[in-house]
Amino acid sequence: MNTIKKTIGIFFFFSFLFILSCNRNSEINNKDKDKDSLSINYIWIKSLTDSIQHFPERYSLYVKRARYYLAERDFERALKDIRMAIINQPNNVDNYIVLSEIYLYSGKVDLAKSTLKEVIRTNPKNNKGYTGLAEIYFYENDI
């Protein structure tokens, strides 16, 4: 049991580090690097938005942009994009996993849990729902 807790803890820790590392602007102190980073982020999000406008049926683009907004802690926009993906791809489990991450990082832990429980209910053989829920319970000490 301790091995499982350690593994889940390590996984969550690195997932959290990944989310934090995506928010490059908060970690850069050098003004030149900050300007470059802002430019790169602006260009990337603009090209992603342009792609969505040209190919609105490619819902994976909405998921990518939702993940970007999540990393930038822009939860409203992240929710809007992931909901668009879910509406058009209701059977894609990964979309619900991203939705639960948005809820979790925006402080809506109960919604994150209920989303993951629904993933488990509808896809009991998919491990992602179990893993996400286990991470939440582990850090709440509810195991």
Side-chain angles (χ1 to χ4, degrees):
M1 191 63 161
N2 284 337
T3 306
I4 293 172
K5 281 186 176 182
K6 286 179 184 177
T7 303
I8 291 170
I10 290 169
F11 177 78
F12 190 152
F13 176 74
F14 283 109
S15 297
F16 182 71
L17 285 179
F18 173 75
I19 294 290
L20 289 178
S21 69
C22 290
N23 189 357
R24 292 172 232 143
N25 294 335
S26 64
E27 297 297 322
I28 298 174
N29 294 325
N30 185 318
K31 289 184 180 181
D32 292 334
K33 287 184 181 179
D34 197 31
K35 287 179 185 176
D36 290 343
S37 180
L38 286 172
S39 297
I40 291 168
N41 285 343
Y42 174 77
I43 290 168
W44 191 82
I45 196 67
K46 183 173 180 348
S47 70
L48 193 53
T49 300
D50 289 346
S51 296
I52 289 171
Q53 289 174 349
H54 286 93
F55 305 103
E57 71 285 353
R58 291 194 182 161
Y59 302 108
S60 63
L61 296 172
Y62 288 96
V63 177
K64 286 179 184 179
R65 194 169 67 177
R67 285 190 174 281
Y68 170 82
Y69 286 139
L70 173 59
E72 293 293 315
R73 304 189 61 77
D74 188 343
F75 303 121
E76 250 181 72
R77 287 182 178 171
L79 277 172
K80 181 180 175 188
D81 278 350
I82 201 61
R83 285 180 178 150
M84 180 63 127
I86 288 171
I87 287 168
N88 292 286
Q89 294 179 318
N91 297 324
N92 187 332
V93 173
D94 291 333
N95 294 344
Y96 293 96
I97 299 300
V98 174
L99 177 63
S100 71
E101 291 171 359
I102 293 167
Y103 285 145
L104 181 63
Y105 290 110
S106 65
K108 299 174 182 173
V109 178
D110 289 337
L111 286 174
K113 285 181 191 177
S114 64
T115 300
L116 291 168
K117 286 176 183 177
E118 184 64 17
V119 166
I120 292 167
R121 189 187 68 73
T122 58
N123 299 283
K125 293 183 180 181
N126 188 308
N127 291 333
K128 292 177 182 180
Y130 296 106
T131 303
L133 200 56
E135 289 174 1
I136 292 171
Y137 287 141
F138 178 79
Y139 284 97
E140 286 185 335
N141 295 316
D142 285 346
I143 286 186

